Amino acid sequence: MAFYQDPPRLGSAWTDDPLLREHLARALPPDAFAAVAPELEEVGALATGPLLALQEEDREAEPALVQWDAWGRRVDRITVTAVWREAARLAARHGLVAVAYERRLGALSRLHQLALVHLLEPSMDTYSCPLAMSDGAARALLDLAPPSLVERAVPRLTARDPARAWTSGQWMTERSGGSDVSRTETVARRDADAWRLHGTKWFTSATSAEMALALARPEGNPDGSRGLALFYVETRREDGTPNGIRVNRLKDKLGTRKLPTAELTLDGARAEPVAGLRDGVRAIAPVLNVTRTWNAVVAVSYMTRGLALARAYARLRTAFGATLLEKPLHADTLAGLEAEREAGFLLAFRAAALLGRADAGEASAADLALLRVAIPLAKLTTGKQVVAVVSEVVEAFGGAGYVEDTGLPRLLRDAQVLPIWEGTTNVLALEALRALAAEGAPEAFAAEVRRALGGARAPALRPAVEACEAALGRAAAVLAARGTGAEAEADARRVALTLGRTLALALLAEHAQWCLDTGRGRRAPAAAQRFARAGVDLLDAGGGLEEAALLAGGGEAEAAGRR
């Protein structure tokens, strides 16, 4: 009789994720948890049921660019996939942007919102990208824009009616530089009663959006980032024709292939300043706080989906007389991945909670200082975790994990963008260290770690507490000794990842103690123990500037310049 391997089958994304349910039960008042749990249960069943089935059916579809109509008119329309069309309807109906602004749970509304995102995104083919940018755009407009722009755009960005809902792009990257937006070449020129944008945006995600926030330099402004302004742009005129925007081509990318990412030429696109005619990079900071928090939550959602698939497979797959889950080495491998996921989850959702307090105007000065450090740390830490974890998940399936129609290669390719989007690991490491240099920030971060550790009383959690305390002390000493020179910059990634993992472990120890206190079993304490043993202090990995120059350049010339 022939043998056929059964594919992994997923249960509900809500009922099969005890960590998500535990965290919300701990973070939300009982009446708030009871209010949102039915919707989360509904969405969790949808994510791993009908929406996942549509994603599998739609696996080979990709967006397409139609530049001309049948009569020779330039239309530049982008058609999206069936999953994206369904995701747009679901996102509006369940308020994946709206929840944060309706604020039914007050400062805790971000937890409700991002729990929905956590459940749905792995089946939405990166539709979280336009949603995150729409959320960020709504936040920036509410904080900075004149009433006319707020009234025009924000009700559409936060609409629950799919026919009325808009999404937003975020146009920063140009050929002259990625993260270095000071080299932006797009020019804004005053034309009668309007501003017109002229230039090229080399990398625009979610180009099918109805609007975008774009950086441009008003004509006559000085070079550098201070001379840039943030502009509001609608992608089409009232008659449906392109608003001085030509889509040159869609990018052929490693992953996120369902997401239309394009090169654009702006040829007199009508635009409106969001907040004056200078300091556009500062104006876009509220957008980045939001999108980086989404990025961290999406990273955790991909880890969660990957591990759910790996566990389901391990229960079915037999080899050498037993299931994979009964094999000690395989179980040990999955255990290490789960510890990473749990730590990353708590770090991402702590950033979300801080963002929610800031949204609601309830953040203290210490909260705001912590937020400016915690968001880049959460994004960069989870970005590195998700690639490593999902890569191991693919390997856990053996050859089947390398086959496209299992869906696993797509999960890994899509995960790979998460350390890149919204600032690479190195860019965010430097940003986190700059945030830590602000008055009160080191104290706020240390206080947060110690607050989380303060309740971890169980003897089993003592190694985790000691690992956090030691890593926090060493990182502070390195920061103090290095100052702000070249050696400090060379250490920035190691310091940032150490601090990110330290905070993640502290939050995991706090959660583990709560689980013990409430009779929720020993899984979370085991995750804290495992994550502590995996190591949070990465500071010993460096070797100085000369060694770096020698190895990075592949020869002696660069190292000689360091002597």
Side-chain angles (χ1 to χ4, degrees):
M1 180 177 176
F3 172 78
Y4 294 98
Q5 179 61 51
D6 291 329
R9 300 293 181 192
L10 296 179
S12 163
W14 168 249
T15 56
D16 283 4
D17 190 352
L19 177 61
L20 174 61
R21 300 197 311 278
E22 290 164 1
H23 181 66
L24 293 180
R26 179 165 68 93
L28 300 179
D31 59 339
F33 180 79
V36 302
E39 181 183 29
L40 294 168
E41 185 173 5
E42 176 192 350
V43 163
L46 179 66
T48 47
L51 189 58
L52 177 59
L54 178 60
Q55 185 186 48
E56 291 170 346
E57 179 184 324
D58 201 40
R59 181 179 63 82
E60 294 185 344
E62 294 191 5
L65 170 62
V66 179
Q67 290 182 308
W68 310 92
D69 72 7
W71 308 101
R73 294 180 182 87
R74 187 80 186 247
V75 293
D76 284 358
R77 293 195 182 279
I78 296 171
T79 61
V80 296
T81 64
V83 169
W84 264 51
R85 294 192 293 273
E86 179 62 18
R89 290 188 284 269
L90 290 173
R93 193 163 73 240
H94 289 285
L96 265 61
V97 176
V99 164
Y101 298 91
E102 295 166 346
R103 215 168 288 157
R104 284 193 296 141
L105 302 187
L108 298 170
S109 296
R110 284 284 178 189
L111 299 183
H112 175 201
Q113 175 203 30
L114 291 169
L116 291 166
V117 173
H118 175 73
L119 291 168
L120 281 169
E121 164 54 21
S123 297
M124 289 201 304
D125 282 341
T126 65
Y127 194 72
S128 62
C129 173
L131 294 176
M133 293 188 294
S134 302
D135 189 349
R139 182 73 269 154
L141 293 173
L142 286 167
D143 287 350
L144 302 168
S148 59
L149 279 187
V150 172
E151 291 165 10
R152 177 161 179 79
V154 173
R156 291 173 170 85
L157 293 170
T158 58
R160 283 183 176 264
D161 177 1
R164 191 165 180 260
W166 279 8
T167 55
S168 177
Q170 179 180 305
W171 299 349
M172 296 172 61
T173 305
E174 300 198 359
R175 290 173 298 199
S176 55
S179 298
D180 184 6
V181 296
S182 67
R183 300 174 65 192
T184 293
E185 295 175 345
T186 297
V187 174
R189 297 192 181 104
R190 188 73 177 172
D191 176 17
D193 62 341
W195 287 91
R196 304 283 181 176
L197 304 188
H198 299 265
T200 299
K201 295 296 181 181
W202 187 75
F203 208 97
T204 64
S205 289
T207 315
S208 53
E210 289 80 6
M211 60 156 285
L213 296 182
L215 288 175
R217 193 179 311 280
E219 203 165 34
N221 272 19
D223 292 340
S225 60
R226 293 292 301 276
L228 296 174
L230 183 63
F231 285 87
Y232 166 90
V233 187
E234 293 184 12
T235 54
R236 295 194 175 268
R237 303 184 184 100
E238 293 290 344
D239 64 2
T241 58
N243 173 27
I245 299 167
R246 294 200 303 272
V247 182
N248 300 332
R249 63 169 175 164
L250 296 182
K251 295 286 194 179
D252 187 8
K253 298 167 294 178
L254 169 69
T256 66
R257 297 187 67 89
K258 306 305 181 87
L259 166 69
T261 304
E263 295 175 21
L264 300 181
T265 294
L266 304 178
D267 186 15
R270 185 184 177 106
E272 296 183 50
V274 171
L277 297 178
R278 288 177 181 262
D279 295 320
V281 175
R282 182 183 300 172
I284 212 164
V287 180
L288 296 176
N289 277 342
V290 171
T291 56
R292 288 168 177 172
T293 304
W294 276 69
N295 195 287
V297 170
V298 167
V300 173
S301 78
Y302 283 12
M303 288 190 267
T304 301
R305 173 60 61 85
L307 277 163
L309 288 166
R311 286 196 192 96
Y313 186 69
R315 292 187 179 103
L316 292 171
R317 175 71 166 128
T318 58
F320 306 106
T323 66
L324 291 181
L325 202 58
E326 295 170 316
K327 297 293 184 181
L329 180 54
H330 196 82
D332 184 78
T333 301
L334 295 183
L337 302 182
E338 176 63 17
E340 291 289 329
R341 178 191 87 96
E342 298 209 11
F345 175 100
L346 293 166
L347 181 59
F349 275 84
R350 181 59 178 142
L354 289 166
L355 184 62
R357 289 184 62 81
D359 286 346
E362 297 179 14
S364 65
D367 287 336
L368 293 174
L370 177 60
L371 178 145
R372 286 189 286 270
V373 178
I375 286 179
L377 289 182
K379 192 276 184 188
L380 70 88
T381 302
T382 57
K384 301 309 287 184
Q385 286 177 308
V386 66
V387 175
V389 167
V390 176
S391 177
E392 287 282 2
V393 164
V394 170
E395 187 177 344
F397 282 79
Y402 208 65
V403 176
E404 283 291 343
D405 54 9
T406 65
L408 290 158
R410 178 201 59 79
L411 192 65
L412 179 57
R413 288 196 302 270
D414 288 353
Q416 184 61 66
V417 82
L418 296 171
I420 299 170
W421 268 349
E422 311 306 317
T424 63
T425 305
N426 286 356
V427 167
L428 289 177
L430 293 169
E431 186 169 318
L433 266 56
R434 284 194 296 271
L436 278 167
E439 184 176 353
E443 294 80 5
F445 184 82
E448 170 70 4
V449 172
R450 292 181 179 124
R451 179 203 62 76
L453 295 176
R457 306 177 308 278
L461 297 176
R462 190 65 206 163
V465 172
E466 291 173 353
C468 285
E469 291 173 341
L472 185 63
R474 283 202 70 204
V478 167
L479 285 171
R482 295 298 199 206
T484 58
E487 289 188 345
E489 180 174 331
D491 280 333
R493 175 190 281 239
R494 287 182 287 276
V495 172
L497 284 168
T498 294
L499 292 174
R501 291 180 70 83
T502 297
L503 179 54
L505 178 56
L507 295 167
L508 185 50
E510 177 188 32
H511 182 74
Q513 184 66 59
W514 179 85
C515 287
L516 291 172
D517 292 344
T518 56
R520 293 174 185 264
R522 295 181 295 119
R523 188 208 74 258
Q529 292 170 317
R530 183 61 175 258
F531 191 75
R533 288 197 301 273
V536 296
D537 183 346
L538 308 181
L539 295 168
D540 288 333
L545 296 176
E546 183 174 344
E547 178 191 277
L550 180 65
L551 295 174
E556 299 289 341
E558 288 82 2
R562 297 287 187 183
R563 295 191 185 110

